[in-house]
């Protein structure tokens, strides 16, 4: 997923320093967050506002186009969304994926107030989901699953009702069913994407309940992390499995509003200088961060 060599960074904020001739000069100096997809603008997906699944993307910053881990980035004016003054750049940067992906996934899942929702895997997107589900959708019960005790505590602080230790994935399904009066979850946001975590969600005694919706958000490469499930339990329980990738431009605008209003707070582990970005990548790889790492030029 993506190309190399490339400048990474799909969550970028900054100040507009120059603009094309057709752009109002008043935009110079504007504080903005960058939407990281640029669709073809012509296909049916782009016409519907779903350019994140455009089959002919012109750019995807940090994936197939040079991204925001740099002093400058060039993007179309429509991709530069104004930030309110009450959101700092440090707090705004994680909105670009951490909050927008949560916004989009919740829409696809058609979340309802009486749902029992599981957020499986808590950090950027997971922390965004915990808050969104409670503060925007008013979900009855939010269950967070994470291996890290610190992340479980943070999820509870952000609104989760129950936090389950995910260290032993084989024990997660029974823990979710115990926390949901034996019914299982109405919706699971799977933000890890490993074979054992996906396995915990499905099957006759999996964490997903009747007519449950499993939303696959996280992923790992390699055949060892293929999603596998026998169809019979899914058929009998009338369950749904769907994927959710990125977000639309409107999702980003919504996410900025949620953070600006205080309904969602981004979680930042630390800041680093831009030339120390490798330290941040190593920290992420070793699962040593609680929240996002923000690089500052």
């Amino acid at each position: 997923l993506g190309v190399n060599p490339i400048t990474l960074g799909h969550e970028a904020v900054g100040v507009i320093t120059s603009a094309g001739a057709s752009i109002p000069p008043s935009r110079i100096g504007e504080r903005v967050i960058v939407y990281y997809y640029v669709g073809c603008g012509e296909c049916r997906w782009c016409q519907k506002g779903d350019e994140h699944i455009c089959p002919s993307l012109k750019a995807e910053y940090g994936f197939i186009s040079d991204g925001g881990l740099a002093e400058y980035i060039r993007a179309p004016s429509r991709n530069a969304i104004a930030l309110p003054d009450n959101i700092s750049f440090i707090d705004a940067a994680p909105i670009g994926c951490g909050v927008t992906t949560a916004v989009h996934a919740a829409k696809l899942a058609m979340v309802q107030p009486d749902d029992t929702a599981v957020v499986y895997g808590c950090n950027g997107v997971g922390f965004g989901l915990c808050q969104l589900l409670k503060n925007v959708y008013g979900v009855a019960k939010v269950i967070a699953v994470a291996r890290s005790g610190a992340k479980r505590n943070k999820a509870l602080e952000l609104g989760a009702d129950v936090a389950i230790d995910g260290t032993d994935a084989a024990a997660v399904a029974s823990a979710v069913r115990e926390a949901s009066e034996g019914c299982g979850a109405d919706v699971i946001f799977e933000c890890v994407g490993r074979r054992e975590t996906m396995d915990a969600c499905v099957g006759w005694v999996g964490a997903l309940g009747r007519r449950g919706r499993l939303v696959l958000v996280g992923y790992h490469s390699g055949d060892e992390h293929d999603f596998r499930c026998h169809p019979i339990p899914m058929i009998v329980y009338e369950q749904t499995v769907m994927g959710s990738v990125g977000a639309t431009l409107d999702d980003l605008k919504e996410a900025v509003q949620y953070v600006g209003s205080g309904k969602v707070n981004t979680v930042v582990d630390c800041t680093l200088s831009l030339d120390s970005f490798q330290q941040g990548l190593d920290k992420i790889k070793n699962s040593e961060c609680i929240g996002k790492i923000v690089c500052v030029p």
Side-chain angles (χ1 to χ4, degrees), residues 12-42:
V13 297
V15 175
I16 297 177
T17 58
S18 64
S22 63
I23 308 304
S26 59
R27 293 212 68 183
I28 302 298
E30 190 175 295
R31 300 170 69 252
V32 297
I33 183 169
V34 177
Y35 176 60
Y36 61 92
Y37 291 98
V38 182
C40 70
E42 298 177 358

PDB file of all heavy atoms in Angstrom, residues 12-42:
ATOM      1  N   ALA A  12      -1.236  16.442   7.663  1.00  0.00           N
ATOM      2  CA  ALA A  12      -0.415  17.650   7.562  1.00  0.00           C
ATOM      3  C   ALA A  12      -1.239  18.904   7.835  1.00  0.00           C
ATOM      4  O   ALA A  12      -2.379  19.044   7.364  1.00  0.00           O
ATOM      5  CB  ALA A  12       0.210  17.754   6.167  1.00  0.00           C
ATOM      6  N   VAL A  13      -0.665  19.787   8.599  1.00  0.00           N
ATOM      7  CA  VAL A  13      -1.258  21.106   8.852  1.00  0.00           C
ATOM      8  C   VAL A  13      -0.178  22.159   8.642  1.00  0.00           C
ATOM      9  O   VAL A  13       1.020  21.853   8.671  1.00  0.00           O
ATOM     10  CB  VAL A  13      -1.825  21.221  10.289  1.00  0.00           C
ATOM     11  CG1 VAL A  13      -2.957  20.248  10.518  1.00  0.00           C
ATOM     12  CG2 VAL A  13      -0.723  21.004  11.321  1.00  0.00           C
ATOM     13  N   GLY A  14      -0.608  23.398   8.442  1.00  0.00           N
ATOM     14  CA  GLY A  14       0.366  24.465   8.255  1.00  0.00           C
ATOM     15  C   GLY A  14      -0.284  25.768   7.831  1.00  0.00           C
ATOM     16  O   GLY A  14      -1.504  25.941   7.947  1.00  0.00           O
ATOM     17  N   VAL A  15       0.532  26.654   7.313  1.00  0.00           N
ATOM     18  CA  VAL A  15       0.092  27.973   6.869  1.00  0.00           C
ATOM     19  C   VAL A  15       0.307  28.081   5.371  1.00  0.00           C
ATOM     20  O   VAL A  15       1.354  27.683   4.847  1.00  0.00           O
ATOM     21  CB  VAL A  15       0.883  29.084   7.594  1.00  0.00           C
ATOM     22  CG1 VAL A  15       0.505  30.453   7.051  1.00  0.00           C
ATOM     23  CG2 VAL A  15       0.642  29.027   9.095  1.00  0.00           C
ATOM     24  N   ILE A  16      -0.683  28.590   4.665  1.00  0.00           N
ATOM     25  CA  ILE A  16      -0.536  28.810   3.225  1.00  0.00           C
ATOM     26  C   ILE A  16       0.462  29.947   3.006  1.00  0.00           C
ATOM     27  O   ILE A  16       0.258  31.067   3.479  1.00  0.00           O
ATOM     28  CB  ILE A  16      -1.887  29.148   2.576  1.00  0.00           C
ATOM     29  CG1 ILE A  16      -2.857  27.966   2.715  1.00  0.00           C
ATOM     30  CG2 ILE A  16      -1.705  29.512   1.101  1.00  0.00           C
ATOM     31  CD1 ILE A  16      -4.254  28.229   2.177  1.00  0.00           C
ATOM     32  N   THR A  17       1.535  29.629   2.297  1.00  0.00           N
ATOM     33  CA  THR A  17       2.576  30.635   2.056  1.00  0.00           C
ATOM     34  C   THR A  17       2.541  31.185   0.637  1.00  0.00           C
ATOM     35  O   THR A  17       3.044  32.282   0.378  1.00  0.00           O
ATOM     36  CB  THR A  17       3.973  30.050   2.324  1.00  0.00           C
ATOM     37  OG1 THR A  17       4.173  28.911   1.478  1.00  0.00           O
ATOM     38  CG2 THR A  17       4.103  29.627   3.783  1.00  0.00           C
ATOM     39  N   SER A  18       1.975  30.430  -0.296  1.00  0.00           N
ATOM     40  CA  SER A  18       1.828  30.904  -1.675  1.00  0.00           C
ATOM     41  C   SER A  18       0.668  30.168  -2.309  1.00  0.00           C
ATOM     42  O   SER A  18       0.286  29.078  -1.868  1.00  0.00           O
ATOM     43  CB  SER A  18       3.112  30.691  -2.476  1.00  0.00           C
ATOM     44  OG  SER A  18       3.401  29.312  -2.592  1.00  0.00           O
ATOM     45  N   ALA A  19       0.111  30.757  -3.355  1.00  0.00           N
ATOM     46  CA  ALA A  19      -1.063  30.163  -4.001  1.00  0.00           C
ATOM     47  C   ALA A  19      -1.078  30.537  -5.480  1.00  0.00           C
ATOM     48  O   ALA A  19      -0.451  31.522  -5.899  1.00  0.00           O
ATOM     49  CB  ALA A  19      -2.345  30.643  -3.328  1.00  0.00           C
ATOM     50  N   GLY A  20      -1.790  29.731  -6.247  1.00  0.00           N
ATOM     51  CA  GLY A  20      -1.902  29.971  -7.670  1.00  0.00           C
ATOM     52  C   GLY A  20      -2.663  31.251  -7.974  1.00  0.00           C
ATOM     53  O   GLY A  20      -3.329  31.828  -7.116  1.00  0.00           O
ATOM     54  N   ALA A  21      -2.582  31.658  -9.230  1.00  0.00           N
ATOM     55  CA  ALA A  21      -3.172  32.932  -9.640  1.00  0.00           C
ATOM     56  C   ALA A  21      -4.681  32.978  -9.447  1.00  0.00           C
ATOM     57  O   ALA A  21      -5.256  34.059  -9.249  1.00  0.00           O
ATOM     58  CB  ALA A  21      -2.814  33.208 -11.100  1.00  0.00           C
ATOM     59  N   SER A  22      -5.344  31.824  -9.511  1.00  0.00           N
ATOM     60  CA  SER A  22      -6.811  31.798  -9.397  1.00  0.00           C
ATOM     61  C   SER A  22      -7.300  31.769  -7.951  1.00  0.00           C
ATOM     62  O   SER A  22      -8.513  31.814  -7.709  1.00  0.00           O
ATOM     63  CB  SER A  22      -7.362  30.582 -10.137  1.00  0.00           C
ATOM     64  OG  SER A  22      -6.894  29.375  -9.543  1.00  0.00           O
ATOM     65  N   ILE A  23      -6.373  31.711  -7.002  1.00  0.00           N
ATOM     66  CA  ILE A  23      -6.735  31.621  -5.588  1.00  0.00           C
ATOM     67  C   ILE A  23      -6.759  33.020  -4.969  1.00  0.00           C
ATOM     68  O   ILE A  23      -5.837  33.804  -5.177  1.00  0.00           O
ATOM     69  CB  ILE A  23      -5.735  30.735  -4.820  1.00  0.00           C
ATOM     70  CG1 ILE A  23      -5.568  29.381  -5.520  1.00  0.00           C
ATOM     71  CG2 ILE A  23      -6.196  30.544  -3.381  1.00  0.00           C
ATOM     72  CD1 ILE A  23      -6.853  28.618  -5.725  1.00  0.00           C
ATOM     73  N   PRO A  24      -7.812  33.360  -4.217  1.00  0.00           N
ATOM     74  CA  PRO A  24      -7.885  34.686  -3.590  1.00  0.00           C
ATOM     75  C   PRO A  24      -6.649  34.965  -2.736  1.00  0.00           C
ATOM     76  O   PRO A  24      -6.255  34.110  -1.922  1.00  0.00           O
ATOM     77  CB  PRO A  24      -9.150  34.609  -2.724  1.00  0.00           C
ATOM     78  CG  PRO A  24      -9.972  33.531  -3.351  1.00  0.00           C
ATOM     79  CD  PRO A  24      -9.008  32.543  -3.909  1.00  0.00           C
ATOM     80  N   PRO A  25      -6.029  36.120  -2.905  1.00  0.00           N
ATOM     81  CA  PRO A  25      -4.836  36.458  -2.106  1.00  0.00           C
ATOM     82  C   PRO A  25      -5.093  36.414  -0.605  1.00  0.00           C
ATOM     83  O   PRO A  25      -4.162  36.231   0.184  1.00  0.00           O
ATOM     84  CB  PRO A  25      -4.514  37.887  -2.565  1.00  0.00           C
ATOM     85  CG  PRO A  25      -5.150  38.018  -3.909  1.00  0.00           C
ATOM     86  CD  PRO A  25      -6.374  37.163  -3.862  1.00  0.00           C
ATOM     87  N   SER A  26      -6.354  36.541  -0.204  1.00  0.00           N
ATOM     88  CA  SER A  26      -6.690  36.537   1.217  1.00  0.00           C
ATOM     89  C   SER A  26      -6.385  35.198   1.877  1.00  0.00           C
ATOM     90  O   SER A  26      -6.317  35.102   3.111  1.00  0.00           O
ATOM     91  CB  SER A  26      -8.169  36.874   1.411  1.00  0.00           C
ATOM     92  OG  SER A  26      -8.990  35.935   0.729  1.00  0.00           O
ATOM     93  N   ARG A  27      -6.189  34.145   1.061  1.00  0.00           N
ATOM     94  CA  ARG A  27      -5.895  32.834   1.641  1.00  0.00           C
ATOM     95  C   ARG A  27      -4.442  32.726   2.118  1.00  0.00           C
ATOM     96  O   ARG A  27      -4.123  31.842   2.892  1.00  0.00           O
ATOM     97  CB  ARG A  27      -6.201  31.711   0.645  1.00  0.00           C
ATOM     98  CG  ARG A  27      -7.688  31.559   0.313  1.00  0.00           C
ATOM     99  CD  ARG A  27      -8.041  30.112   0.023  1.00  0.00           C
ATOM    100  NE  ARG A  27      -7.949  29.264   1.204  1.00  0.00           N
ATOM    101  CZ  ARG A  27      -8.167  27.937   1.184  1.00  0.00           C
ATOM    102  NH1 ARG A  27      -8.469  27.329   0.036  1.00  0.00           N
ATOM    103  NH2 ARG A  27      -8.068  27.225   2.292  1.00  0.00           N
ATOM    104  N   ILE A  28      -3.588  33.608   1.636  1.00  0.00           N
ATOM    105  CA  ILE A  28      -2.202  33.590   2.095  1.00  0.00           C
ATOM    106  C   ILE A  28      -2.184  33.875   3.599  1.00  0.00           C
ATOM    107  O   ILE A  28      -2.803  34.808   4.086  1.00  0.00           O
ATOM    108  CB  ILE A  28      -1.349  34.637   1.353  1.00  0.00           C
ATOM    109  CG1 ILE A  28      -1.392  34.388  -0.160  1.00  0.00           C
ATOM    110  CG2 ILE A  28       0.083  34.600   1.869  1.00  0.00           C
ATOM    111  CD1 ILE A  28      -0.813  33.052  -0.581  1.00  0.00           C
ATOM    112  N   GLY A  29      -1.480  33.040   4.341  1.00  0.00           N
ATOM    113  CA  GLY A  29      -1.428  33.181   5.791  1.00  0.00           C
ATOM    114  C   GLY A  29      -2.500  32.397   6.527  1.00  0.00           C
ATOM    115  O   GLY A  29      -2.509  32.374   7.762  1.00  0.00           O
ATOM    116  N   GLU A  30      -3.389  31.748   5.791  1.00  0.00           N
ATOM    117  CA  GLU A  30      -4.468  30.980   6.412  1.00  0.00           C
ATOM    118  C   GLU A  30      -3.931  29.693   7.035  1.00  0.00           C
ATOM    119  O   GLU A  30      -3.082  29.003   6.461  1.00  0.00           O
ATOM    120  CB  GLU A  30      -5.512  30.643   5.342  1.00  0.00           C
ATOM    121  CG  GLU A  30      -6.806  30.054   5.846  1.00  0.00           C
ATOM    122  CD  GLU A  30      -7.817  29.879   4.716  1.00  0.00           C
ATOM    123  OE1 GLU A  30      -8.257  30.891   4.135  1.00  0.00           O
ATOM    124  OE2 GLU A  30      -8.152  28.709   4.427  1.00  0.00           O
ATOM    125  N   ARG A  31      -4.404  29.377   8.234  1.00  0.00           N
ATOM    126  CA  ARG A  31      -4.046  28.132   8.909  1.00  0.00           C
ATOM    127  C   ARG A  31      -4.956  27.019   8.383  1.00  0.00           C
ATOM    128  O   ARG A  31      -6.178  27.141   8.434  1.00  0.00           O
ATOM    129  CB  ARG A  31      -4.221  28.263  10.430  1.00  0.00           C
ATOM    130  CG  ARG A  31      -3.379  29.347  11.055  1.00  0.00           C
ATOM    131  CD  ARG A  31      -3.779  29.589  12.508  1.00  0.00           C
ATOM    132  NE  ARG A  31      -3.438  28.469  13.376  1.00  0.00           N
ATOM    133  CZ  ARG A  31      -4.303  27.623  13.904  1.00  0.00           C
ATOM    134  NH1 ARG A  31      -5.613  27.748  13.646  1.00  0.00           N
ATOM    135  NH2 ARG A  31      -3.907  26.639  14.695  1.00  0.00           N
ATOM    136  N   VAL A  32      -4.350  25.927   7.898  1.00  0.00           N
ATOM    137  CA  VAL A  32      -5.154  24.899   7.240  1.00  0.00           C
ATOM    138  C   VAL A  32      -4.691  23.502   7.614  1.00  0.00           C
ATOM    139  O   VAL A  32      -3.577  23.285   8.092  1.00  0.00           O
ATOM    140  CB  VAL A  32      -5.097  25.038   5.699  1.00  0.00           C
ATOM    141  CG1 VAL A  32      -5.690  26.367   5.246  1.00  0.00           C
ATOM    142  CG2 VAL A  32      -3.665  24.879   5.191  1.00  0.00           C
ATOM    143  N   ILE A  33      -5.591  22.553   7.371  1.00  0.00           N
ATOM    144  CA  ILE A  33      -5.282  21.131   7.430  1.00  0.00           C
ATOM    145  C   ILE A  33      -5.495  20.578   6.025  1.00  0.00           C
ATOM    146  O   ILE A  33      -6.403  21.009   5.306  1.00  0.00           O
ATOM    147  CB  ILE A  33      -6.167  20.400   8.469  1.00  0.00           C
ATOM    148  CG1 ILE A  33      -5.781  18.918   8.565  1.00  0.00           C
ATOM    149  CG2 ILE A  33      -7.650  20.546   8.143  1.00  0.00           C
ATOM    150  CD1 ILE A  33      -6.427  18.194   9.754  1.00  0.00           C
ATOM    151  N   VAL A  34      -4.643  19.643   5.611  1.00  0.00           N
ATOM    152  CA  VAL A  34      -4.666  19.151   4.235  1.00  0.00           C
ATOM    153  C   VAL A  34      -5.437  17.835   4.144  1.00  0.00           C
ATOM    154  O   VAL A  34      -5.153  16.877   4.879  1.00  0.00           O
ATOM    155  CB  VAL A  34      -3.227  18.947   3.704  1.00  0.00           C
ATOM    156  CG1 VAL A  34      -3.257  18.364   2.283  1.00  0.00           C
ATOM    157  CG2 VAL A  34      -2.456  20.255   3.722  1.00  0.00           C
ATOM    158  N   TYR A  35      -6.402  17.797   3.243  1.00  0.00           N
ATOM    159  CA  TYR A  35      -7.094  16.546   2.904  1.00  0.00           C
ATOM    160  C   TYR A  35      -6.189  15.772   1.969  1.00  0.00           C
ATOM    161  O   TYR A  35      -5.737  16.289   0.950  1.00  0.00           O
ATOM    162  CB  TYR A  35      -8.430  16.863   2.233  1.00  0.00           C
ATOM    163  CG  TYR A  35      -9.205  15.653   1.756  1.00  0.00           C
ATOM    164  CD1 TYR A  35      -9.602  14.675   2.645  1.00  0.00           C
ATOM    165  CD2 TYR A  35      -9.536  15.500   0.405  1.00  0.00           C
ATOM    166  CE1 TYR A  35     -10.309  13.558   2.215  1.00  0.00           C
ATOM    167  CE2 TYR A  35     -10.253  14.398  -0.031  1.00  0.00           C
ATOM    168  CZ  TYR A  35     -10.635  13.426   0.873  1.00  0.00           C
ATOM    169  OH  TYR A  35     -11.333  12.323   0.450  1.00  0.00           O
ATOM    170  N   TYR A  36      -5.894  14.506   2.305  1.00  0.00           N
ATOM    171  CA  TYR A  36      -4.787  13.848   1.627  1.00  0.00           C
ATOM    172  C   TYR A  36      -5.151  13.059   0.368  1.00  0.00           C
ATOM    173  O   TYR A  36      -4.281  12.394  -0.216  1.00  0.00           O
ATOM    174  CB  TYR A  36      -3.987  12.978   2.602  1.00  0.00           C
ATOM    175  CG  TYR A  36      -4.712  11.829   3.282  1.00  0.00           C
ATOM    176  CD1 TYR A  36      -4.708  10.555   2.732  1.00  0.00           C
ATOM    177  CD2 TYR A  36      -5.345  12.006   4.511  1.00  0.00           C
ATOM    178  CE1 TYR A  36      -5.318   9.492   3.360  1.00  0.00           C
ATOM    179  CE2 TYR A  36      -5.959  10.954   5.156  1.00  0.00           C
ATOM    180  CZ  TYR A  36      -5.942   9.693   4.581  1.00  0.00           C
ATOM    181  OH  TYR A  36      -6.561   8.644   5.232  1.00  0.00           O
ATOM    182  N   TYR A  37      -6.396  13.123  -0.090  1.00  0.00           N
ATOM    183  CA  TYR A  37      -6.772  12.488  -1.347  1.00  0.00           C
ATOM    184  C   TYR A  37      -7.046  13.537  -2.424  1.00  0.00           C
ATOM    185  O   TYR A  37      -7.710  14.553  -2.149  1.00  0.00           O
ATOM    186  CB  TYR A  37      -8.052  11.666  -1.195  1.00  0.00           C
ATOM    187  CG  TYR A  37      -7.942  10.424  -0.347  1.00  0.00           C
ATOM    188  CD1 TYR A  37      -8.333  10.434   0.988  1.00  0.00           C
ATOM    189  CD2 TYR A  37      -7.476   9.222  -0.883  1.00  0.00           C
ATOM    190  CE1 TYR A  37      -8.259   9.290   1.769  1.00  0.00           C
ATOM    191  CE2 TYR A  37      -7.399   8.074  -0.110  1.00  0.00           C
ATOM    192  CZ  TYR A  37      -7.796   8.116   1.209  1.00  0.00           C
ATOM    193  OH  TYR A  37      -7.736   6.990   1.990  1.00  0.00           O
ATOM    194  N   VAL A  38      -6.591  13.287  -3.640  1.00  0.00           N
ATOM    195  CA  VAL A  38      -6.955  14.104  -4.797  1.00  0.00           C
ATOM    196  C   VAL A  38      -7.465  13.157  -5.869  1.00  0.00           C
ATOM    197  O   VAL A  38      -6.689  12.416  -6.477  1.00  0.00           O
ATOM    198  CB  VAL A  38      -5.765  14.922  -5.345  1.00  0.00           C
ATOM    199  CG1 VAL A  38      -6.235  15.795  -6.523  1.00  0.00           C
ATOM    200  CG2 VAL A  38      -5.151  15.790  -4.257  1.00  0.00           C
ATOM    201  N   GLY A  39      -8.781  13.163  -6.073  1.00  0.00           N
ATOM    202  CA  GLY A  39      -9.375  12.260  -7.051  1.00  0.00           C
ATOM    203  C   GLY A  39      -9.293  12.802  -8.462  1.00  0.00           C
ATOM    204  O   GLY A  39      -8.869  13.942  -8.691  1.00  0.00           O
ATOM    205  N   CYS A  40      -9.731  11.981  -9.407  1.00  0.00           N
ATOM    206  CA  CYS A  40      -9.713  12.407 -10.811  1.00  0.00           C
ATOM    207  C   CYS A  40     -10.746  13.485 -11.080  1.00  0.00           C
ATOM    208  O   CYS A  40     -10.627  14.261 -12.029  1.00  0.00           O
ATOM    209  CB  CYS A  40      -9.944  11.197 -11.722  1.00  0.00           C
ATOM    210  SG  CYS A  40     -11.637  10.517 -11.670  1.00  0.00           S
ATOM    211  N   GLY A  41     -11.798  13.530 -10.241  1.00  0.00           N
ATOM    212  CA  GLY A  41     -12.835  14.543 -10.398  1.00  0.00           C
ATOM    213  C   GLY A  41     -13.896  14.206 -11.422  1.00  0.00           C
ATOM    214  O   GLY A  41     -14.869  14.950 -11.583  1.00  0.00           O
ATOM    215  N   GLU A  42     -13.735  13.062 -12.103  1.00  0.00           N
ATOM    216  CA  GLU A  42     -14.649  12.727 -13.200  1.00  0.00           C
ATOM    217  C   GLU A  42     -15.417  11.431 -12.994  1.00  0.00           C
ATOM    218  O   GLU A  42     -16.509  11.267 -13.537  1.00  0.00           O
ATOM    219  CB  GLU A  42     -13.858  12.650 -14.517  1.00  0.00           C
ATOM    220  CG  GLU A  42     -13.201  13.972 -14.895  1.00  0.00           C
ATOM    221  CD  GLU A  42     -12.359  13.848 -16.152  1.00  0.00           C
ATOM    222  OE1 GLU A  42     -12.265  12.709 -16.687  1.00  0.00           O
ATOM    223  OE2 GLU A  42     -11.793  14.862 -16.578  1.00  0.00           O
TER     224      GLU A  42
END
